[in-house]
Every structure is written in C-alpha cells, then in structure tokens.
Amino acid sequence: RQVTLNISALEGDFGLTKREIEVLVNIFNGLRNAEIADELFNSEITVKKHLKHIFEKIGDARGGSSHLVSKAAEPGLDL
C-alpha cells in the first residue's frame, strides 16, 4: 500500500528539519542507515542522530525505523 508523506505537516506540526525529512523519506523508500548515509554524504552515526531526533519529535522512539514505517501506515495517520 502506498504511504504519502505530508511534508508540510512534518515541518510544521512535528518541527522536523529538511535533513530529518530527507532521512525519513529514505527510510520510507526502504534504505538502511548506511545507504542513507551514502546517499546524503553523511556518516551512519549522523543518520542515527537524525533518526533519534525524528522519533523524539514524532513521539515514539521505542520501535526503531520499521516501527515508524508501520506507524505511519496506520489508517488515519497522515504523514
């Protein structure tokens, strides 16, 4: 099933930075942390820090990247 990211909501409602959104988009596209690091010319540690900030801002840091994807795919959640 197709999941659409609402970029303006991610920026406005959740306060994600442009770089955090880029990381999130890559997670939704199925990339692993190391692949995202290569794609964005960052270290994997930097990608993990961005993910930590994303989870803090969205409000659930327990389940990791796969949990974030499944949470966003729940009916009624417009990410």
Side-chain angles (χ1 to χ4, degrees):
R1 148 174 136 175
Q2 181 82 18
V3 176
T4 304
L5 293 173
N6 183 336
I7 301 299
S8 61
L10 291 171
E11 289 176 328
D13 296 345
F14 293 105
L16 296 184
T17 66
K18 297 227 184 275
R19 186 57 104 183
E20 290 165 349
I21 291 170
E22 289 174 327
V23 169
L24 188 58
V25 167
N26 282 303
I27 289 290
F28 273 82
N29 287 329
L31 274 63
R32 297 174 184 259
N33 292 351
E35 295 168 321
I36 296 170
D38 289 343
E39 180 79 19
L40 300 179
F41 304 103
N42 280 324
S43 71
E44 193 170 348
I45 291 169
T46 300
V47 170
K48 288 178 181 180
K49 286 183 181 181
H50 286 309
L51 284 170
K52 178 181 180 282
H53 295 152
I54 291 167
F55 289 124
E56 288 171 351
K57 291 176 181 181
I58 290 179
D60 190 354
R62 294 174 301 209
S65 301
S66 60
H67 178 69
L68 179 60
V69 171
S70 66
K71 181 177 176 181
E74 290 177 6
L77 183 59
D78 185 23
L79 282 187

